[in-house]
Amino acid sequence: MYVGIVLVGGLNILLGEPLTMVRFLRFSVLLVGLCTAVAGHANTAQPITTADDLGPKVEQPIEFPHDRHAGDMQINCMYCHTYARRSIVSGIPPLQKCIGCHQSIESVRETPRIKKLFEYWEGSKDGTIAPKTPIPWKKVHDLPDFVRFNHERHIQRFYFQQEKPVQEVCGYCHGDVKTMTVARRSKSLSMGWCVSCHEKDHAVDAVSTKTTQGPNDCWQCHK
Amino acid sequence: MSVTNLLENWSQFRHKHPVGDQPHEEYKWAMSIDLDACTGCNACSVACYAENNLPVVGKEKYSHGFAHHWIRVERYWDADGRDFPDQGAQFLPMMCQQCEAAPCETVCPVGATNHTADGLNSQVYNRCIGSRYCEANCPYKVRYFNWYDYPTTDNVWPEPMNQQLNPDVTVRGKGVMEKCTFCVQRLTAAKSNARTEGRTVRDGEVQTACQQACPTNAISFGNLVDPEAMVGKQWMQQQVQLDKDKQAKDAEEAASKLRGYRILEELRAYPSVMYLERVRESAI
Amino acid sequence: MIDNFDRRDFLKVLGWGGAAVALSGCGNTSVEDGREIVTSYSEPAEYVIPSIGVYFNSTCAQCDAGCSIMGRVREGRVLKLEGNPDSSINRGKTCGLGQAGVQAHYNPDRIREPLLRSGDKGEAITWDKALELINSKLAGVKGEEVAFLTGGTSGHINVLLKNYLAALGSSNHYAYDAVSPSVVRAANKKAYGVEMPRLRLDKAKVVLSFGADFLGAWVSPVHFSQQYAQFRKGTRPEGRGVLVQVESKMTLTGANADRWLAIRPGTEGILALGLIHALGAAGMKIPGGIAQDYSLERVSKDTGISAEQITKLAALLKERTPSLVIAGSAAEGYAHGTQNAAAIALLNQVLGNVGKTVQFPAVVPFPQVLPTVGNRYALQALNDEMAQGKVKVLFNYGANPVYSAPAAMKLKENLGKVPFKVAFAHYMDETALQADLVLPLDSALEDWATSVPEYMAEEAQINIQQPLMEKLYPGTRGMGDILLALLKQRRADEYKGYEDFYSYLHSAVLQNKVALGGTGKDDDAFWTATLSKGLLKLPCDAGKISDKITPTAIALPAPFAADDAYPLQLIPAVSASLRDGRHANLPWLQESPDPLTTIVWDSWVEIHPKTAARLGIVEGDIVEVTAKNGSIKAQAYLFPGIHPDAVSVPLGNGHEAMGRYAKGVGVNVFNILDAVFDKGTGELAMHETRVKVSKTGKRVVIVKDEGSAGGQQMGRKIAARVTSDKVDLSGEV
């Protein structure tokens, strides 16, 4: 095995064996000490396959109910995460967007979460929050800094070209968000997990029978 | 895959890309550099520092050969023993040649440098363990190693200089190898935009940082697969073929009167950069 | 990291990843949930998409060439500068200097608040206090006792500056540029009727340059590099152009010449007249009397260039027309610089180039915004005034004479005689350190301005400089805003309508909307379009250049005779990146190797291997270069591209201040220059210093990029070259 990697040097033969690759990846990280701040749980082995690999519960400044918005109200994910179709980042909705709707939704105006929301917009009475302060949301799907996941490509491919339902497309990586309040990671987001999908054949559009695989060169995500 | 198989079919593995058993499909990025236009001004090099988050290492570390200029301008003199270099100097912008059969790739113990489908020689920082075998094996000496953790080194990116860092390019830490990427962050963005519009990248749509800065347009860059691309036309006109280690035109009895060549072609690394010889007037 | 991120509106930003990646350098290595905070805009601008760069047009302020740039702005930070393709000056291209503009902006050593001298220290004060202090110091001071020292200025800053001086009753605007081509300007004016004619390298078959480093540091290098690329194209109707460079120290342009001729320092004019003589001998009609005394033998003996070479060059010039002859800083740097430049201009006239490759330039039809170009004479004039105690209040904007004036001028001492000195500065440079009040300026990427370059290409244009991002420091101000505030102290009624410099510019442009090509356009639309383009192109009538031959009496002295005490000529070389020293604090430029020697982060003494052998000097020897007015010590570099009678030291390093990247790097060669002046213009003659070189006994390893082979290819085909008769360029794409 070792010889094969050394001499061929290509990634292709490795791709068939995600297990090996992940082990190698971790090996390199530990050996080099690439970065000083290796987080505590990064050193502990993580399962690499796993649809049910739930991330930790993250406490947010406001307990945002995805289930109300995406579930009950059936709001398109990209109504709020508006950059997903045209940028590598999906974007956290600007405060203005939340307020835009909620200032005309009287029915929930006095609920604790919405009151909190308006504190960020109007400033809190005790003066601890200045008007128009961005809400300090915590990142839930936080990839390592050397990974550059591109939202636009995935949305374009699966939502626009294959015409899959948006919640299904987003759900490939984010899970069934419409059943959650605060979002929680439900996929491992490890490289092996990414590759396991990239090496499948995917139709190029809604009607064609032609398929292609996802790119498998390292520079697609690491650069 | 056995060792025997590898050794017996070595040339086949080495040739995988150039010999056409796996031709490039959509993209094969390549460059051509006109040495007659290049003035040696170094704008390309500074542009590369700006685009690719290259650390300024300072005099002390520079003296140890730790400089990180992904593109450097080499300067040569004639060795003819005359008093003055009366035909000027020879300048050569040298960067990773993105070899099709790259000598660096075969020696990496962890597969951190390898070939992409676009014909680039990729360097993956998070995979690199810093063995530096690749650097030793590179005939062009264009790989640069992070001997220090520059992000935390004094006066490399002191506040607020760090705000200039390009977020599209990883800031490398200690212990990893790095080199010219043909501005892969720009290529990826251009490819992504093109794919969204259901086409491939048009010639001129994406420029490398060095090319964009070059005051004399000495650098052309593009997709060799695209018949409309300037770079492909240049390679064709100069009769330089990517997958040959000896060009047919050089075998001709009479000199071909063409000036395209690749550096150290005989090493069979199949570089993706063609240079055009500098011309000097014979009448003066 | 993100917690500390500045939360001003402009920066309210960040999607996933984005700036976090860059700012935290190499961050976490595994999937981490709930550790980082994502800050989004509270009210996003419409054009902002996180992670996607937006380009804004502006103008490069790194030198006076006036290249148009586009800044890539992402998440509220300017990341990179590119050239703006719409400008006929630089056509989308930039030089290394321009690229480093972002480092001038993000430089950690910028001054952040107004400082008032208190003993040896600067004490932070408020802007209100600072401006009031200026007002009070001006009370009781006569108009003629106020002086304003600047570098080259143009555009509306220049207008306000002149108006301010007028309001004070002063006309003392001294524009100082240590490395400007001011003698050539004067000679051009005499010969062609314009100071800076348009040079058409793209039309010339032969370019003969007498020490003009037009590819490196002369006038408008990016523009000339563009032209040079055209000039070298084999597919051009005129064919591939031939460049011959005559100079005593090889410049970047010289290194690109088809033939580089090492001329004895100061004899450039003799060669020019010798060529006229040789052209006459070759059958060209020369108006009577010109260059009669300049026989081949004499010229060859005086210049050190072989008779064969002169004949060949004359034949080339005769055969391939039009050609273009350029006089550069090497030719003008002598006491007879005006004569040299006149002789070179005469050669152009004799060759019939005037009107063909030397053309009338495009001129902006608004005289008030035209550039006030800098020269060296201005500093001498100011220095004399200060020495006599005639200057009571001195303003300094963009000049650093304490660094760049020869020690012989005693400028620092004379500055001490000025009771109140105000410096408008970005960094604490040598001159700002002498000031009583230092006012910190916005960087060029934060400030508003217009600029009109001295050298125009085919179109007249007014360049717009606009902020590419929010100010880094609240304590800095734009030069225009400061001038406006000062003017309001004097002429409150006249300027009360302008809230700030932006509104002044806005109304200045809109008042001239029709003349600026905005006929019939809505005001707002025109203004927005102007800012969006970053420049205003103006219709202008092409004037006619004077093409008659003006054989004025040219008096060229005999070449300098050997001087035993000071046997060598000192050539202070203008480096393309450091120029007059103003960019020494930009680390990219310090680490960018000098193209010819490949040396970084230091100064050096270039010396011909023959001369070095005679003196027993080897590479890396620390040598002392002694002139009448002082000496410097630096590492010796054996350089074949220099005349054996000369040594060269680059300008730009040797700062005693100016921040961490500049201070203490190399030596300052300005210091030891002799105070010799060009007889025609009174300009300091930069090349008139004679020196001796001696070993100090110390030796260092030179830090350079060149390998141990010393720039040899060892028989390999690495950087290849071919002669023009062995190559067919016609089919090239």
Coordinates of all heavy atoms in Angstrom, one line a residue, chain A residues 132-186:
Chain A
K132 N -28.9 48.2 15.7 CA -28.4 47.6 14.5 C -27.1 46.8 14.7 O -26.2 46.8 13.9 CB -28.2 48.6 13.4 CG -29.6 49.2 13.0 CD -29.5 50.1 11.8 CE -30.9 50.6 11.5 NZ -30.9 51.7 10.5
T133 N -27.1 46.1 15.8 CA -25.9 45.2 16.0 C -26.2 43.9 15.4 O -27.3 43.3 15.6 CB -25.8 45.0 17.6 OG1 -25.6 46.3 18.2 CG2 -24.6 44.1 17.9
P134 N -25.2 43.4 14.6 CA -25.4 42.1 14.0 C -25.5 41.0 15.1 O -24.8 41.1 16.1 CB -24.2 41.8 13.2 CG -23.5 43.1 13.1 CD -23.9 44.0 14.3
I135 N -26.4 40.1 14.9 CA -26.6 39.0 16.0 C -25.4 38.1 15.9 O -25.0 37.6 14.9 CB -27.9 38.2 15.7 CG1 -29.1 39.2 15.6 CG2 -28.1 37.1 16.8 CD1 -30.3 38.5 15.1
P136 N -24.7 37.9 17.1 CA -23.5 37.0 17.1 C -23.8 35.5 17.0 O -23.7 34.8 18.0 CB -22.8 37.4 18.4 CG -23.9 37.8 19.3 CD -25.0 38.4 18.4
W137 N -24.3 35.1 15.8 CA -24.6 33.7 15.6 C -23.4 32.9 15.7 O -22.3 33.3 15.3 CB -25.3 33.5 14.3 CG -26.6 34.2 14.0 CD1 -26.8 35.2 13.2 CD2 -27.8 33.9 14.6 NE1 -28.1 35.6 13.2 CE2 -28.8 34.8 14.1 CE3 -28.3 33.0 15.6 CZ2 -30.1 34.9 14.4 CZ3 -29.6 33.1 15.9 CH2 -30.5 34.0 15.4
K138 N -23.5 31.7 16.3 CA -22.4 30.7 16.3 C -22.4 29.9 15.0 O -23.5 29.5 14.6 CB -22.5 29.8 17.5 CG -22.4 30.6 18.8 CD -21.1 30.4 19.4 CE -20.8 31.2 20.7 NZ -21.8 31.1 21.7
K139 N -21.2 29.6 14.5 CA -21.2 28.8 13.3 C -21.5 27.3 13.7 O -20.9 26.8 14.7 CB -19.7 28.8 12.8 CG -19.6 29.5 11.5 CD -18.1 29.6 11.1 CE -18.0 29.6 9.6 NZ -16.6 29.8 9.2
V140 N -22.4 26.7 13.0 CA -22.8 25.4 13.3 C -22.0 24.4 12.4 O -21.4 23.4 12.8 CB -24.3 25.2 13.2 CG1 -24.6 23.7 13.3 CG2 -25.0 25.9 14.3
H141 N -22.0 24.7 11.1 CA -21.3 23.8 10.2 C -19.9 24.5 9.9 O -19.8 25.2 8.9 CB -22.1 23.6 8.9 CG -23.4 22.9 9.2 ND1 -24.5 23.5 9.6 CD2 -23.7 21.6 9.1 CE1 -25.5 22.6 9.7 NE2 -25.0 21.4 9.4
D142 N -19.0 24.2 10.8 CA -17.7 24.9 10.7 C -16.6 24.0 10.2 O -16.1 23.2 10.9 CB -17.4 25.5 12.1 CG -16.3 26.5 12.0 OD1 -15.8 26.8 10.9 OD2 -15.9 27.1 13.1
L143 N -16.4 24.1 8.9 CA -15.3 23.3 8.3 C -14.0 23.8 8.7 O -13.8 25.0 9.1 CB -15.5 23.3 6.8 CG -16.7 22.6 6.2 CD1 -16.8 22.8 4.7 CD2 -16.7 21.1 6.6
P144 N -13.0 23.0 8.7 CA -11.6 23.5 8.9 C -11.3 24.6 7.9 O -11.8 24.6 6.8 CB -10.7 22.2 8.6 CG -11.6 21.1 8.8 CD -13.0 21.5 8.4
D145 N -10.4 25.5 8.3 CA -10.1 26.6 7.5 C -9.5 26.3 6.2 O -9.5 27.1 5.3 CB -9.2 27.6 8.3 CG -10.0 28.3 9.4 OD1 -11.2 28.2 9.4 OD2 -9.3 29.1 10.1
F146 N -8.9 25.1 6.0 CA -8.3 24.8 4.8 C -9.3 24.1 3.8 O -8.9 23.7 2.7 CB -7.0 23.9 5.0 CG -7.3 22.7 5.8 CD1 -7.9 21.6 5.3 CD2 -6.8 22.7 7.1 CE1 -8.1 20.5 6.0 CE2 -7.0 21.5 7.9 CZ -7.7 20.5 7.4
V147 N -10.5 24.1 4.2 CA -11.5 23.5 3.3 C -12.4 24.6 2.7 O -12.9 25.4 3.5 CB -12.4 22.5 4.0 CG1 -13.4 21.8 3.0 CG2 -11.5 21.4 4.7
R148 N -12.5 24.6 1.4 CA -13.3 25.7 0.8 C -14.5 25.0 0.1 O -14.5 24.7 -1.1 CB -12.5 26.5 -0.2 CG -11.5 27.4 0.6 CD -10.3 27.6 -0.2 NE -9.2 28.0 0.7 CZ -9.1 29.2 1.2 NH1 -9.9 30.2 0.9 NH2 -8.1 29.5 2.1
F149 N -15.5 24.8 0.9 CA -16.7 24.2 0.3 C -17.5 25.3 -0.5 O -17.5 26.5 0.0 CB -17.6 23.7 1.4 CG -19.0 23.2 0.9 CD1 -19.1 22.0 0.4 CD2 -20.1 24.1 1.0 CE1 -20.3 21.5 -0.1 CE2 -21.3 23.6 0.5 CZ -21.4 22.3 0.0
N150 N -18.0 25.0 -1.7 CA -18.6 26.0 -2.5 C -20.1 25.7 -2.6 O -20.6 24.8 -3.2 CB -18.0 25.9 -3.9 CG -18.5 27.0 -4.8 OD1 -19.5 27.6 -4.6 ND2 -17.7 27.3 -5.8
H151 N -20.9 26.6 -1.9 CA -22.3 26.4 -1.9 C -22.9 26.6 -3.4 O -23.7 25.8 -3.8 CB -23.0 27.4 -1.0 CG -23.0 27.1 0.4 ND1 -21.9 27.4 1.2 CD2 -23.9 26.4 1.2 CE1 -22.2 26.9 2.5 NE2 -23.4 26.3 2.4
E152 N -22.4 27.6 -4.1 CA -22.9 27.9 -5.4 C -22.9 26.7 -6.3 O -23.9 26.4 -6.9 CB -22.1 29.0 -6.0 CG -22.6 29.4 -7.4 CD -21.6 30.4 -8.1 OE1 -20.6 30.7 -7.5 OE2 -22.0 30.7 -9.2
R153 N -21.8 26.0 -6.4 CA -21.7 24.9 -7.3 C -22.7 23.8 -7.0 O -23.4 23.3 -7.9 CB -20.3 24.2 -7.2 CG -19.3 24.9 -7.9 CD -19.0 24.5 -9.4 NE -20.2 24.3 -10.2 CZ -20.9 25.2 -10.8 NH1 -20.6 26.5 -10.6 NH2 -21.9 24.9 -11.5
H154 N -22.9 23.5 -5.7 CA -23.9 22.5 -5.3 C -25.3 22.9 -5.6 O -26.1 22.1 -6.1 CB -23.6 22.0 -3.9 CG -22.3 21.4 -3.7 ND1 -21.2 22.1 -3.5 CD2 -22.0 20.0 -3.7 CE1 -20.1 21.2 -3.3 NE2 -20.6 20.0 -3.4
I155 N -25.6 24.1 -5.3 CA -27.0 24.6 -5.5 C -27.3 24.7 -7.0 O -28.3 24.3 -7.5 CB -27.2 26.0 -4.9 CG1 -27.0 25.9 -3.4 CG2 -28.5 26.6 -5.3 CD1 -28.1 25.1 -2.7
Q156 N -26.3 25.2 -7.8 CA -26.5 25.3 -9.2 C -26.7 23.9 -9.8 O -27.6 23.6 -10.6 CB -25.2 25.9 -9.9 CG -25.1 27.4 -9.6 CD -26.2 28.3 -10.2 OE1 -26.9 27.8 -11.2 NE2 -26.4 29.4 -9.7
R157 N -25.9 22.9 -9.4 CA -25.9 21.6 -10.0 C -27.2 20.9 -9.6 O -28.0 20.4 -10.5 CB -24.7 20.8 -9.5 CG -24.7 19.4 -10.0 CD -24.4 19.3 -11.5 NE -24.4 17.9 -12.0 CZ -23.4 17.2 -12.1 NH1 -22.2 17.6 -11.7 NH2 -23.5 16.0 -12.6
F158 N -27.5 20.9 -8.3 CA -28.6 20.0 -7.9 C -30.0 20.7 -7.9 O -31.0 20.1 -8.2 CB -28.3 19.4 -6.5 CG -27.2 18.5 -6.6 CD1 -25.9 18.9 -6.1 CD2 -27.3 17.2 -7.2 CE1 -24.8 18.0 -6.2 CE2 -26.2 16.3 -7.2 CZ -25.0 16.7 -6.8
Y159 N -30.0 22.0 -7.6 CA -31.3 22.7 -7.5 C -31.7 23.3 -8.9 O -32.8 23.0 -9.3 CB -31.2 23.8 -6.5 CG -32.4 24.7 -6.3 CD1 -33.6 24.1 -5.8 CD2 -32.4 26.0 -6.7 CE1 -34.7 24.9 -5.7 CE2 -33.6 26.7 -6.6 CZ -34.7 26.2 -6.1 OH -35.9 26.9 -6.0
F160 N -30.7 24.0 -9.5 CA -31.1 24.6 -10.8 C -31.0 23.7 -12.0 O -31.9 23.7 -12.8 CB -30.2 25.9 -11.0 CG -30.5 27.0 -10.1 CD1 -29.7 27.3 -9.0 CD2 -31.7 27.7 -10.3 CE1 -30.1 28.3 -8.2 CE2 -32.0 28.8 -9.4 CZ -31.2 29.1 -8.4
Q161 N -29.9 22.9 -12.0 CA -29.8 22.0 -13.2 C -30.6 20.7 -13.1 O -31.3 20.3 -14.0 CB -28.3 21.8 -13.5 CG -27.7 23.0 -14.1 CD -26.2 23.0 -14.1 OE1 -25.5 22.1 -13.6 NE2 -25.6 24.1 -14.6
Q162 N -30.5 20.1 -11.9 CA -31.3 18.8 -11.8 C -32.7 19.1 -11.3 O -33.5 18.1 -11.2 CB -30.5 17.9 -10.8 CG -29.3 17.2 -11.4 CD -28.9 16.1 -10.5 OE1 -29.7 15.5 -9.8 NE2 -27.6 15.7 -10.6
E163 N -33.0 20.3 -10.9 CA -34.3 20.7 -10.4 C -34.8 19.8 -9.3 O -36.0 19.4 -9.2 CB -35.3 20.6 -11.6 CG -34.9 21.6 -12.7 CD -35.8 21.5 -13.9 OE1 -36.8 20.8 -13.9 OE2 -35.4 22.1 -14.9
K164 N -33.9 19.5 -8.3 CA -34.3 18.8 -7.1 C -34.9 19.8 -6.1 O -34.6 21.0 -6.2 CB -33.1 18.2 -6.5 CG -32.4 17.1 -7.3 CD -32.9 15.7 -6.8 CE -32.3 14.6 -7.7 NZ -30.9 14.4 -7.4
P165 N -35.8 19.3 -5.2 CA -36.4 20.3 -4.2 C -35.3 20.9 -3.4 O -34.3 20.2 -3.0 CB -37.3 19.4 -3.4 CG -37.4 18.1 -4.1 CD -36.3 18.0 -5.1
V166 N -35.5 22.1 -3.1 CA -34.4 22.8 -2.4 C -34.0 22.2 -1.0 O -32.9 22.1 -0.6 CB -34.7 24.3 -2.2 CG1 -35.9 24.6 -1.4 CG2 -33.5 25.1 -1.7
Q167 N -35.0 21.8 -0.3 CA -34.8 21.2 1.0 C -34.0 19.9 0.9 O -33.2 19.6 1.8 CB -36.0 21.1 1.8 CG -36.6 22.4 2.2 CD -37.8 22.3 3.1 OE1 -38.4 21.3 3.2 NE2 -38.1 23.5 3.8
E168 N -34.2 19.2 -0.1 CA -33.5 17.9 -0.3 C -32.0 18.3 -0.6 O -31.1 17.7 -0.1 CB -34.1 17.2 -1.5 CG -33.4 15.8 -1.8 CD -33.8 15.2 -3.1 OE1 -35.0 15.3 -3.5 OE2 -32.9 14.6 -3.8
V169 N -31.8 19.3 -1.5 CA -30.4 19.6 -1.9 C -29.6 20.1 -0.7 O -28.5 19.6 -0.4 CB -30.5 20.7 -3.0 CG1 -29.1 21.2 -3.4 CG2 -31.2 20.1 -4.3
C170 N -30.2 21.1 0.0 CA -29.5 21.6 1.2 C -29.3 20.5 2.2 O -28.3 20.4 2.9 CB -30.3 22.7 1.8 SG -30.5 24.1 0.7
G171 N -30.3 19.6 2.3 CA -30.3 18.5 3.2 C -29.2 17.5 3.0 O -28.8 16.8 3.9
Y172 N -28.6 17.4 1.8 CA -27.5 16.5 1.5 C -26.5 16.7 2.6 O -25.8 15.8 3.1 CB -26.9 16.7 0.2 CG -27.8 16.4 -1.0 CD1 -27.6 17.0 -2.2 CD2 -28.8 15.4 -0.9 CE1 -28.4 16.7 -3.3 CE2 -29.6 15.1 -2.0 CZ -29.4 15.8 -3.2 OH -30.2 15.5 -4.3
C173 N -26.2 17.9 2.9 CA -25.1 18.2 3.9 C -25.7 18.7 5.2 O -25.0 18.5 6.2 CB -24.2 19.3 3.3 SG -23.4 18.9 1.7
H174 N -26.8 19.4 5.2 CA -27.3 20.0 6.4 C -28.3 19.2 7.2 O -28.8 19.6 8.2 CB -27.8 21.4 6.1 CG -26.7 22.4 5.6 ND1 -25.8 22.8 6.5 CD2 -26.5 22.9 4.4 CE1 -24.9 23.6 5.8 NE2 -25.4 23.7 4.5
G175 N -28.8 18.1 6.6 CA -29.8 17.3 7.2 C -31.1 17.9 7.1 O -31.4 18.8 6.4
D176 N -32.0 17.4 7.9 CA -33.4 17.7 7.8 C -33.7 19.0 8.7 O -34.3 18.9 9.7 CB -34.3 16.6 8.2 CG -35.7 16.7 7.7 OD1 -35.9 17.6 6.9 OD2 -36.6 15.9 8.1
V177 N -33.2 20.1 8.2 CA -33.3 21.3 9.0 C -34.7 21.7 9.3 O -34.9 22.3 10.4 CB -32.5 22.5 8.2 CG1 -32.6 23.8 8.9 CG2 -31.1 22.1 7.9
K178 N -35.6 21.4 8.5 CA -37.0 21.8 8.8 C -37.6 21.2 10.0 O -38.7 21.6 10.5 CB -37.9 21.6 7.6 CG -38.2 20.2 7.2 CD -39.2 20.1 6.1 CE -39.6 18.7 5.7 NZ -38.4 17.9 5.2
T179 N -36.9 20.2 10.6 CA -37.4 19.6 11.8 C -36.7 20.1 13.0 O -36.9 19.7 14.1 CB -37.2 18.1 11.8 OG1 -35.8 17.8 11.7 CG2 -38.0 17.4 10.6
M180 N -35.7 21.0 12.8 CA -34.9 21.5 13.9 C -35.3 22.9 14.3 O -35.9 23.6 13.6 CB -33.4 21.6 13.5 CG -32.8 20.3 12.9 SD -31.1 20.7 12.3 CE -30.8 19.1 11.5
T181 N -35.0 23.2 15.6 CA -35.1 24.6 15.9 C -33.7 25.2 15.5 O -33.5 25.6 14.4 CB -35.5 24.9 17.3 OG1 -34.5 24.2 18.2 CG2 -36.9 24.5 17.6
V182 N -32.9 25.3 16.5 CA -31.5 25.7 16.2 C -30.9 24.6 15.4 O -31.0 23.4 15.7 CB -30.7 25.9 17.5 CG1 -29.2 26.1 17.2 CG2 -31.2 27.2 18.2
A183 N -30.2 25.0 14.3 CA -29.6 24.0 13.4 C -28.5 23.2 14.1 O -27.8 23.8 15.0 CB -29.0 24.6 12.2
R184 N -28.4 22.0 13.8 CA -27.4 21.1 14.4 C -26.8 20.2 13.3 O -27.5 19.8 12.5 CB -28.1 20.3 15.5 CG -27.1 19.4 16.3 CD -27.9 18.7 17.4 NE -27.1 17.8 18.1 CZ -27.5 17.0 19.1 NH1 -28.8 17.0 19.4 NH2 -26.7 16.3 19.7
R185 N -25.5 20.1 13.4 CA -24.9 19.3 12.3 C -25.4 17.9 12.4 O -25.4 17.3 13.5 CB -23.4 19.4 12.5 CG -22.6 18.6 11.5 CD -21.2 19.0 11.4 NE -20.5 18.7 12.7 CZ -20.1 17.5 13.1 NH1 -20.3 16.4 12.3 NH2 -19.5 17.3 14.2
S186 N -25.7 17.3 11.3 CA -26.2 15.9 11.3 C -25.4 15.0 10.3 O -25.7 13.9 10.2 CB -27.7 15.9 11.0 OG -27.9 16.4 9.7

